Amino acid sequence: MHHPTYGTHMKIKSQLSQIIKKVLEDANIEAEDIVISDATKPEFGDYQFNGVMRLAKILRKNPRQIAMDVVKHIDTTGMITKVEVAGPGFINIWLDNRWISTQANSILEDKRVGVGLVENSQKVVVDYSGPNMAKQMHVGHLRSSIIGDTLATLLEFLGDEVIRQNHIGDWGTQFGMLIAHLEEQGADGNQNLQDLEQFYKDAKVRFDESEEFANIAREYVVKIQSGDEHCLNLWRQFIDKSLGHCEEVYAKLGVNLTRNDVRAESFYNSELPNIIKILKDKNISTNSNGAECVFVDGEDKPPVIIQKRDGGFLYATTDLSALKFRAGELEADRICYVVDARQGQHFKQVFSISKQANIVGESVALEHIAFGTMMDRSGKPFKTRDGGTIKLIDLLDEAVIRAKETIKKRNEYSEAELNRVATAIGIGAVKYADLSISRESNYLFSWDKMLSFDGNTALYMQYAYARIQSIFRKHNAEIIGEIKIDDELEHKLALMILKFEDTLTKASIEATPHTITSYLYDLVTLFMKFYEQNPILKDGVEKEVKMSRLQLSKLTANVIEKGLDILGIEVVDRI
Ligand code: ARG
């Protein structure tokens, strides 16, 4: 079993639950699981135990009486500073400022801001991006690239061994047509590959208008499949070019996918007959009207076709082969597919077949990390104004231009700095907008919203970070000394910082980047309040208090920086 490392927040909860359990046991009350929750309002303290009512029912006792008895016996000289009974029998718990200060001070110099490594590291395959070579990358691939990259970075940071797999679509009959078109254009061919969408359309026009061209295209399909060197070379050239386009997008986005991570559909070609054999031998597949089929959902539901009548293989066959490779050769413990929610049925079926056929061992976790569709303001799938599919590279360029407009007036920037800052903000905005909604919902693409200084945006976090840096510039001296919490906001802020590790753990288990963005939003909102009410550099602030507040600001900045880094978003020192 995989044991994630629990951080301070979970440790506090478990400690509190032990304390309450002990008190109950001393009073001869048998209580199995004591669940401690986060307090939902400031007046409820930091943590809360609301299981007394349930206990009271079992014991047929007055809940308030039990709660009072428990509270009376809790030691309030260390970690806990105050306990109170509230309502019909809630127990509210306040943590001690000194205790929290000690915890915070222990991570002041820690580059990982208190985040440990998982105890049993896993081998995790993250399948993401997966563009199709015949076509332009679309927003679905954008979402996959952004979410997948975050998941990979996050798991790596927590200590898993991550294997990135870019399952590009580089095989199929359409390549005959494309290669015929490429060859027909001779030297100009490569030039025209700039616009793949157009190239595909042009090839299709040629295919439809000329019988001769169509025949050559069909011949090419057969030739590529039978390993004809000349045709394979043209095909490679085509793939190389279109992959190059994707890599431009990766570079602009700051997505860490390289050629080494590409394991294209064609990689599995030679294994596909073997997959059919395995499924036939195990009587998992059956011949139905000449096609090899697996009836996963019962005889009356459409089957998964793994081999067509003409002998051709399908998307599902390739994925079964990829599963075999990943579980076998790559020895993955967990395989995550960051793919559009609309492929949910496909993955459900393929996963189920792979387990049934023992292509993938019992213990391997197979997860479809599904995400919704990107919508425009009218609620339709995201397109350009003229209705065409948007080119991602243009979208990203526009993000940077818009970011420039947003920040130009605020500061004197050199040309180079303006470019750097606008890139961080523009690209960060696109990524953050994508990561901050719960991934399975569809999301509304809005420039104004994503480039806003307020709200749950990248800019809000980047701005807070830059603001902290400006405090440090003004302070212009070393920050030495310790955190000494002595008010409500500092108390809350420090506790929030201590929740970072558990936030990352939760995000890694559930594969939910929005867990991280929500956390950052709460953290920064708290910091802004703290900063408004607790002057740091103002005259008259005692040196010790000043240092403590500077340290608390530094920890906040460290968490923002690390958190954004995991989301693939850069921070800047000045906005
Ligand atoms: N190329 C596919 C598409 O655009 C995505 C590939 C996802 N990965 C996989 N192993 N099926 O829909």
Side-chain angles (χ1 to χ4, degrees), residues 127-132 138 141 144 165-169 265 315 318-319 322 326 337-340 343 346-347:
D127 176 321
Y128 68 104
S129 196
N132 300 319
H138 58 67
H141 299 120
S144 172
Q165 294 283 280
N166 193 355
H167 191 83
I168 64 169
E265 287 186 5
Y315 186 52
T318 307
D319 260 326
R326 291 165 183 184
Y337 290 81
V338 187
V339 186
D340 196 309
Q343 292 191 30
H346 163 76
F347 285 110

PDB file of all heavy atoms in Angstrom, residues 127-132 138 141 144 165-169 265 315 318-319 322 326 337-340 343 346-347, ligand 1:
ATOM      1  N   ASP A 127      -0.102   9.956 -18.454  1.00  0.00           N
ATOM      2  CA  ASP A 127      -0.352  10.045 -19.893  1.00  0.00           C
ATOM      3  C   ASP A 127      -1.065  11.370 -20.128  1.00  0.00           C
ATOM      4  O   ASP A 127      -2.182  11.565 -19.661  1.00  0.00           O
ATOM      5  CB  ASP A 127      -1.233   8.845 -20.292  1.00  0.00           C
ATOM      6  CG  ASP A 127      -1.655   8.844 -21.757  1.00  0.00           C
ATOM      7  OD1 ASP A 127      -1.959   9.925 -22.313  1.00  0.00           O
ATOM      8  OD2 ASP A 127      -1.718   7.749 -22.345  1.00  0.00           O
ATOM      9  N   TYR A 128      -0.400  12.289 -20.778  1.00  0.00           N
ATOM     10  CA  TYR A 128      -1.058  13.581 -21.012  1.00  0.00           C
ATOM     11  C   TYR A 128      -0.633  14.233 -22.313  1.00  0.00           C
ATOM     12  O   TYR A 128       0.321  13.820 -22.940  1.00  0.00           O
ATOM     13  CB  TYR A 128      -0.854  14.507 -19.817  1.00  0.00           C
ATOM     14  CG  TYR A 128       0.541  15.031 -19.532  1.00  0.00           C
ATOM     15  CD1 TYR A 128       0.889  16.345 -19.846  1.00  0.00           C
ATOM     16  CD2 TYR A 128       1.487  14.242 -18.885  1.00  0.00           C
ATOM     17  CE1 TYR A 128       2.151  16.846 -19.523  1.00  0.00           C
ATOM     18  CE2 TYR A 128       2.739  14.739 -18.574  1.00  0.00           C
ATOM     19  CZ  TYR A 128       3.067  16.040 -18.888  1.00  0.00           C
ATOM     20  OH  TYR A 128       4.301  16.539 -18.573  1.00  0.00           O
ATOM     21  N   SER A 129      -1.397  15.217 -22.684  1.00  0.00           N
ATOM     22  CA  SER A 129      -1.276  15.973 -23.931  1.00  0.00           C
ATOM     23  C   SER A 129      -1.837  15.163 -25.099  1.00  0.00           C
ATOM     24  O   SER A 129      -2.927  15.448 -25.558  1.00  0.00           O
ATOM     25  CB  SER A 129       0.164  16.417 -24.202  1.00  0.00           C
ATOM     26  OG  SER A 129       0.141  17.423 -25.201  1.00  0.00           O
ATOM     27  N   GLY A 130      -1.113  14.161 -25.597  1.00  0.00           N
ATOM     28  CA  GLY A 130      -1.642  13.253 -26.627  1.00  0.00           C
ATOM     29  C   GLY A 130      -2.271  13.900 -27.849  1.00  0.00           C
ATOM     30  O   GLY A 130      -3.375  13.512 -28.242  1.00  0.00           O
ATOM     31  N   PRO A 131      -1.614  14.885 -28.463  1.00  0.00           N
ATOM     32  CA  PRO A 131      -2.202  15.505 -29.654  1.00  0.00           C
ATOM     33  C   PRO A 131      -2.209  14.546 -30.842  1.00  0.00           C
ATOM     34  O   PRO A 131      -1.489  13.540 -30.837  1.00  0.00           O
ATOM     35  CB  PRO A 131      -1.273  16.686 -29.934  1.00  0.00           C
ATOM     36  CG  PRO A 131       0.037  16.277 -29.367  1.00  0.00           C
ATOM     37  CD  PRO A 131      -0.287  15.449 -28.154  1.00  0.00           C
ATOM     38  N   ASN A 132      -3.033  14.868 -31.821  1.00  0.00           N
ATOM     39  CA  ASN A 132      -3.083  14.050 -33.033  1.00  0.00           C
ATOM     40  C   ASN A 132      -2.301  14.749 -34.134  1.00  0.00           C
ATOM     41  O   ASN A 132      -2.522  15.919 -34.420  1.00  0.00           O
ATOM     42  CB  ASN A 132      -4.531  13.835 -33.454  1.00  0.00           C
ATOM     43  CG  ASN A 132      -5.303  13.119 -32.365  1.00  0.00           C
ATOM     44  OD1 ASN A 132      -4.779  12.184 -31.739  1.00  0.00           O
ATOM     45  ND2 ASN A 132      -6.507  13.571 -32.088  1.00  0.00           N
ATOM     46  N   HIS A 138      -5.821  21.131 -30.185  1.00  0.00           N
ATOM     47  CA  HIS A 138      -6.970  21.953 -29.814  1.00  0.00           C
ATOM     48  C   HIS A 138      -7.038  22.157 -28.305  1.00  0.00           C
ATOM     49  O   HIS A 138      -6.171  21.682 -27.573  1.00  0.00           O
ATOM     50  CB  HIS A 138      -8.270  21.372 -30.367  1.00  0.00           C
ATOM     51  CG  HIS A 138      -8.552  19.964 -29.921  1.00  0.00           C
ATOM     52  ND1 HIS A 138      -8.829  19.645 -28.623  1.00  0.00           N
ATOM     53  CD2 HIS A 138      -8.570  18.797 -30.613  1.00  0.00           C
ATOM     54  CE1 HIS A 138      -9.036  18.352 -28.522  1.00  0.00           C
ATOM     55  NE2 HIS A 138      -8.878  17.807 -29.728  1.00  0.00           N
ATOM     56  N   HIS A 141      -6.466  19.395 -25.866  1.00  0.00           N
ATOM     57  CA  HIS A 141      -5.068  19.026 -25.637  1.00  0.00           C
ATOM     58  C   HIS A 141      -4.355  20.054 -24.756  1.00  0.00           C
ATOM     59  O   HIS A 141      -3.427  19.720 -24.037  1.00  0.00           O
ATOM     60  CB  HIS A 141      -4.329  18.871 -26.971  1.00  0.00           C
ATOM     61  CG  HIS A 141      -4.916  17.799 -27.838  1.00  0.00           C
ATOM     62  ND1 HIS A 141      -5.412  18.043 -29.084  1.00  0.00           N
ATOM     63  CD2 HIS A 141      -5.127  16.479 -27.596  1.00  0.00           C
ATOM     64  CE1 HIS A 141      -5.886  16.914 -29.590  1.00  0.00           C
ATOM     65  NE2 HIS A 141      -5.725  15.945 -28.712  1.00  0.00           N
ATOM     66  N   SER A 144      -5.353  19.091 -21.260  1.00  0.00           N
ATOM     67  CA  SER A 144      -4.639  17.881 -20.883  1.00  0.00           C
ATOM     68  C   SER A 144      -3.173  18.201 -20.555  1.00  0.00           C
ATOM     69  O   SER A 144      -2.617  17.702 -19.580  1.00  0.00           O
ATOM     70  CB  SER A 144      -4.720  16.854 -22.010  1.00  0.00           C
ATOM     71  OG  SER A 144      -3.884  15.765 -21.719  1.00  0.00           O
ATOM     72  N   GLN A 165       4.171  10.167 -20.380  1.00  0.00           N
ATOM     73  CA  GLN A 165       3.955   9.520 -21.666  1.00  0.00           C
ATOM     74  C   GLN A 165       3.059  10.396 -22.535  1.00  0.00           C
ATOM     75  O   GLN A 165       1.924  10.712 -22.159  1.00  0.00           O
ATOM     76  CB  GLN A 165       3.290   8.146 -21.467  1.00  0.00           C
ATOM     77  CG  GLN A 165       4.170   7.134 -20.754  1.00  0.00           C
ATOM     78  CD  GLN A 165       5.238   6.531 -21.662  1.00  0.00           C
ATOM     79  OE1 GLN A 165       4.980   5.628 -22.439  1.00  0.00           O
ATOM     80  NE2 GLN A 165       6.464   7.054 -21.553  1.00  0.00           N
ATOM     81  N   ASN A 166       3.599  10.791 -23.657  1.00  0.00           N
ATOM     82  CA  ASN A 166       2.818  11.573 -24.611  1.00  0.00           C
ATOM     83  C   ASN A 166       2.351  10.620 -25.719  1.00  0.00           C
ATOM     84  O   ASN A 166       3.103  10.280 -26.618  1.00  0.00           O
ATOM     85  CB  ASN A 166       3.688  12.713 -25.155  1.00  0.00           C
ATOM     86  CG  ASN A 166       2.878  13.752 -25.904  1.00  0.00           C
ATOM     87  OD1 ASN A 166       1.666  13.582 -26.100  1.00  0.00           O
ATOM     88  ND2 ASN A 166       3.528  14.815 -26.336  1.00  0.00           N
ATOM     89  N   HIS A 167       1.115  10.191 -25.605  1.00  0.00           N
ATOM     90  CA  HIS A 167       0.536   9.168 -26.476  1.00  0.00           C
ATOM     91  C   HIS A 167      -0.004   9.855 -27.738  1.00  0.00           C
ATOM     92  O   HIS A 167      -1.216  10.021 -27.905  1.00  0.00           O
ATOM     93  CB  HIS A 167      -0.599   8.477 -25.704  1.00  0.00           C
ATOM     94  CG  HIS A 167      -1.164   7.228 -26.305  1.00  0.00           C
ATOM     95  ND1 HIS A 167      -0.594   5.996 -26.134  1.00  0.00           N
ATOM     96  CD2 HIS A 167      -2.279   7.007 -27.051  1.00  0.00           C
ATOM     97  CE1 HIS A 167      -1.337   5.064 -26.729  1.00  0.00           C
ATOM     98  NE2 HIS A 167      -2.363   5.663 -27.311  1.00  0.00           N
ATOM     99  N   ILE A 168       0.878  10.290 -28.588  1.00  0.00           N
ATOM    100  CA  ILE A 168       0.428  11.073 -29.745  1.00  0.00           C
ATOM    101  C   ILE A 168      -0.225  10.177 -30.800  1.00  0.00           C
ATOM    102  O   ILE A 168       0.158   9.017 -30.975  1.00  0.00           O
ATOM    103  CB  ILE A 168       1.586  11.889 -30.386  1.00  0.00           C
ATOM    104  CG1 ILE A 168       2.662  10.961 -30.967  1.00  0.00           C
ATOM    105  CG2 ILE A 168       2.211  12.849 -29.379  1.00  0.00           C
ATOM    106  CD1 ILE A 168       3.675  11.696 -31.832  1.00  0.00           C
ATOM    107  N   GLY A 169      -1.208  10.733 -31.471  1.00  0.00           N
ATOM    108  CA  GLY A 169      -1.889   9.993 -32.533  1.00  0.00           C
ATOM    109  C   GLY A 169      -1.114  10.162 -33.829  1.00  0.00           C
ATOM    110  O   GLY A 169      -1.173  11.196 -34.466  1.00  0.00           O
ATOM    111  N   GLU A 265       1.291   6.241 -30.770  1.00  0.00           N
ATOM    112  CA  GLU A 265       0.434   5.083 -31.047  1.00  0.00           C
ATOM    113  C   GLU A 265       1.173   4.040 -31.896  1.00  0.00           C
ATOM    114  O   GLU A 265       1.076   2.843 -31.661  1.00  0.00           O
ATOM    115  CB  GLU A 265      -0.841   5.533 -31.770  1.00  0.00           C
ATOM    116  CG  GLU A 265      -1.811   6.274 -30.867  1.00  0.00           C
ATOM    117  CD  GLU A 265      -3.130   6.592 -31.567  1.00  0.00           C
ATOM    118  OE1 GLU A 265      -3.328   6.157 -32.711  1.00  0.00           O
ATOM    119  OE2 GLU A 265      -3.953   7.289 -30.949  1.00  0.00           O
ATOM    120  N   TYR A 315      -8.352   2.314 -31.737  1.00  0.00           N
ATOM    121  CA  TYR A 315      -7.867   3.118 -30.608  1.00  0.00           C
ATOM    122  C   TYR A 315      -7.793   2.276 -29.329  1.00  0.00           C
ATOM    123  O   TYR A 315      -6.801   2.326 -28.594  1.00  0.00           O
ATOM    124  CB  TYR A 315      -8.834   4.294 -30.446  1.00  0.00           C
ATOM    125  CG  TYR A 315      -8.474   5.350 -29.437  1.00  0.00           C
ATOM    126  CD1 TYR A 315      -7.225   5.975 -29.449  1.00  0.00           C
ATOM    127  CD2 TYR A 315      -9.417   5.775 -28.474  1.00  0.00           C
ATOM    128  CE1 TYR A 315      -6.926   6.983 -28.528  1.00  0.00           C
ATOM    129  CE2 TYR A 315      -9.123   6.775 -27.563  1.00  0.00           C
ATOM    130  CZ  TYR A 315      -7.877   7.382 -27.592  1.00  0.00           C
ATOM    131  OH  TYR A 315      -7.594   8.366 -26.689  1.00  0.00           O
ATOM    132  N   THR A 318      -4.862  -0.249 -29.274  1.00  0.00           N
ATOM    133  CA  THR A 318      -3.602   0.425 -28.958  1.00  0.00           C
ATOM    134  C   THR A 318      -3.519   0.729 -27.467  1.00  0.00           C
ATOM    135  O   THR A 318      -2.480   0.555 -26.837  1.00  0.00           O
ATOM    136  CB  THR A 318      -3.474   1.735 -29.761  1.00  0.00           C
ATOM    137  OG1 THR A 318      -3.682   1.436 -31.135  1.00  0.00           O
ATOM    138  CG2 THR A 318      -2.115   2.356 -29.584  1.00  0.00           C
ATOM    139  N   ASP A 319      -4.634   1.173 -26.891  1.00  0.00           N
ATOM    140  CA  ASP A 319      -4.598   1.482 -25.467  1.00  0.00           C
ATOM    141  C   ASP A 319      -4.397   0.233 -24.610  1.00  0.00           C
ATOM    142  O   ASP A 319      -3.747   0.292 -23.557  1.00  0.00           O
ATOM    143  CB  ASP A 319      -5.854   2.255 -25.036  1.00  0.00           C
ATOM    144  CG  ASP A 319      -5.551   3.750 -24.938  1.00  0.00           C
ATOM    145  OD1 ASP A 319      -4.414   4.089 -24.568  1.00  0.00           O
ATOM    146  OD2 ASP A 319      -6.435   4.571 -25.249  1.00  0.00           O
ATOM    147  N   ALA A 322      -0.783  -0.377 -24.820  1.00  0.00           N
ATOM    148  CA  ALA A 322      -0.064   0.613 -24.010  1.00  0.00           C
ATOM    149  C   ALA A 322      -0.159   0.259 -22.524  1.00  0.00           C
ATOM    150  O   ALA A 322       0.803   0.387 -21.771  1.00  0.00           O
ATOM    151  CB  ALA A 322      -0.623   2.010 -24.260  1.00  0.00           C
ATOM    152  N   ARG A 326       2.944  -0.381 -20.080  1.00  0.00           N
ATOM    153  CA  ARG A 326       3.140   0.458 -18.898  1.00  0.00           C
ATOM    154  C   ARG A 326       3.182  -0.365 -17.610  1.00  0.00           C
ATOM    155  O   ARG A 326       3.983  -0.099 -16.719  1.00  0.00           O
ATOM    156  CB  ARG A 326       2.024   1.506 -18.827  1.00  0.00           C
ATOM    157  CG  ARG A 326       2.174   2.514 -19.945  1.00  0.00           C
ATOM    158  CD  ARG A 326       0.958   3.359 -20.177  1.00  0.00           C
ATOM    159  NE  ARG A 326       1.200   4.248 -21.322  1.00  0.00           N
ATOM    160  CZ  ARG A 326       0.368   5.171 -21.734  1.00  0.00           C
ATOM    161  NH1 ARG A 326      -0.774   5.356 -21.097  1.00  0.00           N
ATOM    162  NH2 ARG A 326       0.676   5.912 -22.770  1.00  0.00           N
ATOM    163  N   TYR A 337      -4.501   8.761 -16.718  1.00  0.00           N
ATOM    164  CA  TYR A 337      -4.798   9.241 -18.072  1.00  0.00           C
ATOM    165  C   TYR A 337      -5.478  10.593 -17.979  1.00  0.00           C
ATOM    166  O   TYR A 337      -6.630  10.680 -17.553  1.00  0.00           O
ATOM    167  CB  TYR A 337      -5.723   8.256 -18.795  1.00  0.00           C
ATOM    168  CG  TYR A 337      -5.047   6.958 -19.150  1.00  0.00           C
ATOM    169  CD1 TYR A 337      -4.895   5.949 -18.200  1.00  0.00           C
ATOM    170  CD2 TYR A 337      -4.536   6.744 -20.429  1.00  0.00           C
ATOM    171  CE1 TYR A 337      -4.259   4.762 -18.518  1.00  0.00           C
ATOM    172  CE2 TYR A 337      -3.900   5.559 -20.755  1.00  0.00           C
ATOM    173  CZ  TYR A 337      -3.760   4.575 -19.802  1.00  0.00           C
ATOM    174  OH  TYR A 337      -3.129   3.405 -20.117  1.00  0.00           O
ATOM    175  N   VAL A 338      -4.757  11.627 -18.357  1.00  0.00           N
ATOM    176  CA  VAL A 338      -5.336  12.962 -18.295  1.00  0.00           C
ATOM    177  C   VAL A 338      -5.985  13.257 -19.651  1.00  0.00           C
ATOM    178  O   VAL A 338      -5.337  13.763 -20.566  1.00  0.00           O
ATOM    179  CB  VAL A 338      -4.269  14.016 -17.939  1.00  0.00           C
ATOM    180  CG1 VAL A 338      -4.918  15.369 -17.699  1.00  0.00           C
ATOM    181  CG2 VAL A 338      -3.472  13.566 -16.726  1.00  0.00           C
ATOM    182  N   VAL A 339      -7.234  12.873 -19.763  1.00  0.00           N
ATOM    183  CA  VAL A 339      -7.925  12.935 -21.054  1.00  0.00           C
ATOM    184  C   VAL A 339      -9.356  13.445 -20.859  1.00  0.00           C
ATOM    185  O   VAL A 339      -9.982  13.211 -19.818  1.00  0.00           O
ATOM    186  CB  VAL A 339      -7.964  11.528 -21.722  1.00  0.00           C
ATOM    187  CG1 VAL A 339      -8.555  11.607 -23.127  1.00  0.00           C
ATOM    188  CG2 VAL A 339      -6.579  10.889 -21.784  1.00  0.00           C
ATOM    189  N   ASP A 340      -9.838  14.156 -21.852  1.00  0.00           N
ATOM    190  CA  ASP A 340     -11.202  14.670 -21.917  1.00  0.00           C
ATOM    191  C   ASP A 340     -12.241  13.696 -21.322  1.00  0.00           C
ATOM    192  O   ASP A 340     -12.199  12.496 -21.590  1.00  0.00           O
ATOM    193  CB  ASP A 340     -11.518  14.891 -23.413  1.00  0.00           C
ATOM    194  CG  ASP A 340     -12.737  15.762 -23.621  1.00  0.00           C
ATOM    195  OD1 ASP A 340     -13.794  15.469 -23.015  1.00  0.00           O
ATOM    196  OD2 ASP A 340     -12.624  16.737 -24.382  1.00  0.00           O
ATOM    197  N   GLN A 343     -14.130  10.798 -23.055  1.00  0.00           N
ATOM    198  CA  GLN A 343     -13.566   9.469 -23.321  1.00  0.00           C
ATOM    199  C   GLN A 343     -13.735   8.536 -22.105  1.00  0.00           C
ATOM    200  O   GLN A 343     -13.077   7.500 -22.015  1.00  0.00           O
ATOM    201  CB  GLN A 343     -12.092   9.584 -23.728  1.00  0.00           C
ATOM    202  CG  GLN A 343     -11.926  10.263 -25.084  1.00  0.00           C
ATOM    203  CD  GLN A 343     -10.519  10.162 -25.653  1.00  0.00           C
ATOM    204  OE1 GLN A 343      -9.792   9.213 -25.403  1.00  0.00           O
ATOM    205  NE2 GLN A 343     -10.146  11.157 -26.430  1.00  0.00           N
ATOM    206  N   HIS A 346     -14.669   4.903 -22.886  1.00  0.00           N
ATOM    207  CA  HIS A 346     -13.522   4.203 -23.480  1.00  0.00           C
ATOM    208  C   HIS A 346     -12.574   3.691 -22.391  1.00  0.00           C
ATOM    209  O   HIS A 346     -12.200   2.520 -22.376  1.00  0.00           O
ATOM    210  CB  HIS A 346     -12.786   5.148 -24.441  1.00  0.00           C
ATOM    211  CG  HIS A 346     -11.397   4.712 -24.804  1.00  0.00           C
ATOM    212  ND1 HIS A 346     -11.144   3.698 -25.708  1.00  0.00           N
ATOM    213  CD2 HIS A 346     -10.171   5.128 -24.364  1.00  0.00           C
ATOM    214  CE1 HIS A 346      -9.830   3.523 -25.822  1.00  0.00           C
ATOM    215  NE2 HIS A 346      -9.218   4.371 -25.020  1.00  0.00           N
ATOM    216  N   PHE A 347     -12.216   4.577 -21.470  1.00  0.00           N
ATOM    217  CA  PHE A 347     -11.248   4.155 -20.451  1.00  0.00           C
ATOM    218  C   PHE A 347     -11.843   3.143 -19.488  1.00  0.00           C
ATOM    219  O   PHE A 347     -11.170   2.201 -19.078  1.00  0.00           O
ATOM    220  CB  PHE A 347     -10.660   5.372 -19.724  1.00  0.00           C
ATOM    221  CG  PHE A 347      -9.652   6.090 -20.583  1.00  0.00           C
ATOM    222  CD1 PHE A 347      -9.919   7.348 -21.114  1.00  0.00           C
ATOM    223  CD2 PHE A 347      -8.445   5.482 -20.918  1.00  0.00           C
ATOM    224  CE1 PHE A 347      -8.998   7.991 -21.935  1.00  0.00           C
ATOM    225  CE2 PHE A 347      -7.518   6.116 -21.744  1.00  0.00           C
ATOM    226  CZ  PHE A 347      -7.798   7.373 -22.253  1.00  0.00           C
TER     227      PHE A 347
HETATM  228  N1  ARG B   1      -4.936  11.377 -29.137  1.00  0.00           N
HETATM  229  C1  ARG B   1      -6.039  11.228 -28.253  1.00  0.00           C
HETATM  230  C2  ARG B   1      -7.100  12.289 -28.546  1.00  0.00           C
HETATM  231  O1  ARG B   1      -6.796  13.340 -29.049  1.00  0.00           O
HETATM  232  C3  ARG B   1      -5.629  11.369 -26.814  1.00  0.00           C
HETATM  233  C4  ARG B   1      -4.729  10.271 -26.316  1.00  0.00           C
HETATM  234  C5  ARG B   1      -4.963   9.987 -24.875  1.00  0.00           C
HETATM  235  N2  ARG B   1      -4.180   8.893 -24.361  1.00  0.00           N
HETATM  236  C6  ARG B   1      -4.500   7.609 -24.538  1.00  0.00           C
HETATM  237  N3  ARG B   1      -3.680   6.712 -24.059  1.00  0.00           N
HETATM  238  N4  ARG B   1      -5.590   7.242 -25.153  1.00  0.00           N
HETATM  239  O2  ARG B   1      -8.257  12.067 -28.262  1.00  0.00           O
END
